[in-house]
Amino acid sequence: MRKIVAGGLSAFATLLAGASAQAAQPAEWEMRFQPAATDIMHQITWFEEYTLWFIIPITLLVLFLLAYCIVKFRASVNPNPSRTSHNTLIEVIWTVGPVLILLFIAVPSFQLLTNQYTPPEEAKLTIKATANQWNWDYEYQTEDPLSFNSAILADADRAGLGKEDRVVYPRLLAVDNEMVVPANTMVRVLVTAADVIHAFAMPSFGIKTDAVPGRINEVWFKVEKEGFYYGQCSELCGKDHAFMPIAIRVVSEDQYNTWLAAAKSDLPGANKALTAEITAERNVAAAGN
């Protein structure tokens, strides 16, 4: 019995550690948003739940009225249809009612839109993301710039990169080189494209913008929790559109500074060291230490 309990606790700890490591990614049969990792995504989630208080009653009301009319005014019990041309009270209700509902929806939606385009503070890190068919180029706008390419992770490369855990590095979402950013830091991403229109989307951050050749769009985020976050190109961009993931690894500020310093001279080595450190931390957490 003790072994069963201990095994269950160990599995639960591993699950929690894995969840912390992966942070957010698509899940099978998912019906709601991914867990929010930024303040903006919390606002988006609240707004979605808020609008459901209008959408569900309206849907049920329309369903009831349709059913009522079908039953009450069917030909078998109403051979002589009504010739009523208008009803002032009903016309006032169906005019004023929707106006009030739209006002209740419009005010918080405008507030959310304003917040999405108004960062609460200046960005401490700026990264340029250039979309290609079918990968991403990232350029860190630091004093000594760092540039690298990020493409979907091939199964043959998993062992060499230390990314064999398919829970943390899922199929079709994991990449060879993730964008690495520090937690609780305002990050600005300048998004453009080198060939056709793509889109940079990270659901758990609440951001999504088109990557247009010859134009730069700007998004920003401040992630609350360390871990892995996955998104995808969200604009049909060619035959390999489904194989163009976006992976962002959020780490502590110390880990980020160490990675950045090493990555400027040896990106593969810096990534391996960071992966090994995070894996070790996850194993320690799973062991209950």
Side-chain angles (χ1 to χ4, degrees), residues 19-74:
S20 175
Q22 66 191 36
Q25 61 177 270
E28 293 184 3
W29 300 98
E30 194 168 38
M31 298 179 63
R32 302 298 300 273
F33 293 132
Q34 292 182 21
T38 65
D39 180 62
I40 284 295
M41 191 59 203
H42 282 297
Q43 295 181 46
I44 293 173
T45 302
W46 175 88
F47 182 69
E48 183 258 352
E49 295 172 349
Y50 171 77
T51 55
L52 287 178
W53 287 100
F54 298 92
I55 294 172
I56 293 176
I58 290 172
T59 302
L60 294 177
L61 175 63
V62 172
L63 179 63
F64 168 76
L65 292 176
L66 284 173
Y68 177 81
C69 291
I70 290 171
V71 174
K72 183 173 179 60
F73 299 107
R74 66 187 188 276

Side-chain angles (χ1 to χ4, degrees), residues 23 28 52 63 70 104 109 123 188 224 235-236 273:
E28 293 184 3
L52 287 178
L63 179 63
I70 290 171
F104 277 103
S109 72
R188 177 194 293 117
E224 303 168 345
E235 189 73 45
L236 189 60

Side-chain angles (χ1 to χ4, degrees), residues 215-259:
R215 177 173 177 172
I216 294 180
N217 289 325
E218 178 181 317
V219 292
W220 57 271
F221 58 82
K222 185 176 183 180
V223 187
E224 303 168 345
K225 181 182 177 182
E226 298 176 21
F228 285 92
Y229 298 88
Y230 293 101
Q232 292 174 297
C233 173
S234 298
E235 189 73 45
L236 189 60
C237 57
K239 69 180 184 67
D240 284 342
H241 165 66
F243 307 98
M244 190 175 171
I246 302 167
I248 298 179
R249 188 199 297 254
V250 181
V251 297
S252 68
E253 187 171 357
D254 289 340
Q255 288 175 324
Y256 168 75
N257 291 332
T258 301
W259 171 85

Side-chain angles (χ1 to χ4, degrees), residues 179-200:
M179 178 192 294
V180 180
V181 299
N184 297 308
T185 299
M186 184 63 67
V187 179
R188 177 194 293 117
V189 182
L190 306 177
V191 182
T192 188
D195 37 45
V196 300
I197 299 178
H198 302 267
F200 187 90

Side-chain angles (χ1 to χ4, degrees), residues 28 68 83 95 115 117 126 142 144 165 177 192 232 265:
E28 293 184 3
Y68 177 81
R83 297 182 179 276
T95 300
N115 292 339
Y117 285 94
T126 298
T142 56
D144 185 12
D165 186 345
N177 300 310
T192 188
Q232 292 174 297
S265 58

